Amino acid sequence: MPSKKPVKKNKPTAVKKIVKKEPEKNVSKKKETITPVKTAAVRNVKALETLRGMKDILPKEEKYWLGLRRNAEKMCAAYGYGYFDTPILENAGLFIRSIGKGTDVIEKEMYVFEDRDGDKVALRPELTASAVRAYINNGMHTYSQPVKLWYFGPMFRHDRPQAGRFRQFNQFGCEVFGAHDPVVDAELIVLAHNFIADLGIKSTVHINSIGTLSERKNYISELVSFLKSRRSILCEDCKRRLLKNPLRCLDCKEESCKKNLEEAPQIVDWLEESSKNFFMKVLEYLDELSIPYVLNPRLVRGLDYYCDTVFEFFAEEEGEGGGVALGGGGRYDGLVEQMGGQPTAGCGFALGVERIIAVWKKMENKEPEVAAVGPAIYFAQLGEQARKKALYLLEDLRKAGIFVFHNLSKGSLKVQLESANSKKVTHTVILGQKEVQDGTVIIRDMESGIQEIIDQKKLRAKLEKILGKNQV
Ligand code: HAM
């Protein structure tokens, strides 16, 4: 074990001289030489932008994106869900058949085009349809049931871009196949609720039951008569929906329609005993776990494959019923069979990642409650020989699973220490010319400023010890 030596002022090493002078904060910027290049503006080249409704994710948002994903991983492992993903590009028919022709997603929003073989393909607007295809294609009915899956990835909808609505957005979702049991619906709601709560966001779930297909058929004919009697005062969208998808009139956002529909027949009155009992059981489980919910008889969801339980999450911060849904889901017991598989129950949800991050960011003084991102060590080098040696040492560390920040393109120790400070590392490894010759490195404790010289051969063990102490 190397002994801890505070830096002595009268015996400076090549590196120590610089370390001693270097102030850690407010370091004056070294003037960098700028090679004159002809900028795009000078050359009159127009810079291209992302497509409307699509955006880049930048490193400053890393803590939100990676933090959220890491939380999803941990949460799903705890609840016994297996990670899966499906291709972004699928046969368009998959979505048309499952989501339904009369829905907004299929009619107005799906990106559909012919590929070079003339096949009609689509960018996935959601993942439940693909999950059903994957369940059938991969013979998952032979797995031990229920099959519990989770995913995290991009979806595409050619929606009108506005707050919380993008054309490329990400969903974190879970799907459960092979269990027609209210406890599954409740567990999915609890998982999503806890996931949101762990970020420090309070949410409420709006919940309803839309029963079975036959119960819904009887209800829809009653609803249509009601809507026809008020057709003249419906908004233009609802007049269209009345013909194609009358259920969607129920969750119209137009104030006049909302008022009009207050007296509309409610679907729960059309449910048979078994559906009512199923729904009551879901609510009982939620009560048991103190999950706050609002019974919303007008919640029908915008995709055709649902039956029985449907739900959506809203952030309490967004105000009473206000804001866009953070996520939604429900049961889809007939879908696997409808898509060519054996009769199999299904239930799931998807949360909108951008929407959750937007609420998370708005919360005052609320830093993400997730593990710190990135290594706790910085590796600084000084001089050409040290840079070469650093290449070798960094590779050695990487092979041992020790990741350290470094910037080999910078030669100035001041700049590197400044960078180490901004990354809030606990320790910096410093390698100068003298250390290369001595076969040593300096380990600097960034908080106390104490420096220790150790043999390069002991670097790996030393860093393992430091990381063992500091890693979260
Ligand atoms: P969805 O309600 O269409 O359901 O989408 C789920 C969530 O994705 C929404 O609540 C919202 O947070 C987010 N989202 C949807 N469209 C956009 C958009 N244009 N921009 C930003 N975020 C958006 C589904 O997708 C179902 N597959 C959920 C499901 C899974 N049901 C059963 N299993």
Side-chain angles (χ1 to χ4, degrees), residues 227-447:
L227 292 170
K228 277 186 177 160
S229 71
R230 293 163 189 237
R231 194 176 184 284
S232 58
I233 37 178
L234 291 177
C235 74
E236 287 310 307
D237 270 347
C238 279
K239 280 182 186 149
R240 255 189 325 103
R241 287 179 189 132
L242 179 55
L243 300 172
K244 290 195 167 174
N245 200 346
L247 272 184
R248 289 302 306 204
C249 294
L250 287 176
D251 66 359
C252 178
K253 303 289 178 280
E254 286 287 326
E255 279 310 316
S256 58
C257 288
K258 270 195 207 167
K259 204 153 180 50
N260 240 319
L261 283 153
E262 269 167 16
E263 287 152 33
Q266 296 195 356
I267 197 160
V268 275
D269 298 327
W270 264 258
L271 299 187
E272 284 166 19
E273 243 2 71
S274 59
S275 295
K276 265 189 199 155
N277 289 341
F278 189 96
F279 189 44
M280 291 313 291
K281 268 279 174 216
V282 176
L283 300 181
E284 256 175 52
Y285 291 127
L286 296 181
D287 286 334
E288 199 68 38
L289 290 155
S290 310
I291 302 293
Y293 61 81
V294 172
L295 288 173
N296 181 349
R298 287 216 279 275
L299 180 69
V300 288
R301 307 272 298 133
L303 312 157
D304 276 0
Y305 49 65
Y306 290 114
C307 62
D308 295 310
T309 325
V310 286
F311 51 87
E312 279 181 355
F313 295 91
F314 291 90
E316 283 182 10
E317 282 80 0
E318 299 289 297
E320 217 7 62
V324 282
L326 294 183
R331 188 156 273 287
Y332 48 87
D333 285 347
L335 191 56
V336 177
E337 194 178 2
Q338 185 194 316
M339 299 303 286
Q342 297 179 358
T344 309
C347 192
F349 71 79
L351 300 178
V353 175
E354 284 79 0
R355 292 187 186 178
I356 291 182
I357 289 180
V359 177
W360 202 5
K361 279 182 178 170
K362 266 197 256 168
M363 293 166 64
E364 276 174 37
N365 306 321
K366 190 82 196 167
E367 274 294 297
E369 282 176 11
V370 291
V373 177
I377 310 272
Y378 195 97
F379 196 118
Q381 33 70 46
L382 183 69
E384 187 52 26
Q385 272 186 308
R387 181 185 306 203
K388 280 188 191 146
K389 186 74 190 174
L391 277 172
Y392 165 80
L393 289 175
L394 285 170
E395 190 54 19
D396 196 38
L397 292 176
R398 189 192 61 75
K399 280 187 196 147
I402 299 171
F403 305 129
V404 295
F405 286 118
H406 56 274
N407 190 344
L408 296 177
S409 64
K410 295 276 181 230
S412 150
L413 188 61
K414 277 183 192 172
V415 172
Q416 292 178 77
L417 286 175
E418 197 181 32
S419 177
N421 267 327
S422 74
K423 297 206 181 294
K424 298 191 170 68
V425 296
T426 60
H427 293 76
T428 298
V429 179
I430 303 169
L431 183 70
Q433 190 127 335
K434 180 165 190 324
E435 287 71 31
V436 173
Q437 277 157 18
D438 295 351
T440 58
V441 287
I442 296 173
I443 309 262
R444 180 182 173 94
D445 184 316
M446 298 301 281
E447 206 180 297

Side-chain angles (χ1 to χ4, degrees), residues 3-21:
S3 58
K4 279 200 171 180
K5 287 189 208 161
V7 183
K8 283 185 192 158
K9 284 182 184 168
N10 53 350
K11 271 193 181 176
T13 62
V15 166
K16 268 186 259 164
K17 253 188 213 161
I18 293 157
V19 171
K20 202 173 62 166
K21 279 196 230 148

Side-chain angles (χ1 to χ4, degrees), residues 67-76 195 198-199 369-370:
L68 209 87
R69 200 191 156 101
R70 238 194 323 262
N71 279 15
E73 273 173 36
K74 278 194 214 152
M75 184 68 89
C76 292
F195 175 79
D198 281 357
L199 305 174
E369 282 176 11
V370 291

Side-chain angles (χ1 to χ4, degrees), residues 101-152:
K101 270 189 181 149
T103 59
D104 283 355
V105 172
I106 299 301
E107 262 198 354
K108 303 187 198 161
E109 297 166 3
M110 191 161 70
Y111 280 87
V112 192
F113 56 94
E114 268 190 16
D115 69 7
R116 285 169 186 270
D117 299 326
D119 291 331
K120 199 173 165 195
V121 294
L123 294 176
R124 62 184 188 193
E126 57 108 50
L127 208 142
T128 310
S130 309
V132 167
R133 182 201 46 65
Y135 181 86
I136 300 169
N137 289 170
N138 296 287
M140 288 194 222
H141 64 281
T142 61
Y143 295 11
S144 153
Q145 307 289 306
V147 176
K148 296 161 87 177
L149 307 168
W150 75 277
Y151 54 90
F152 193 112

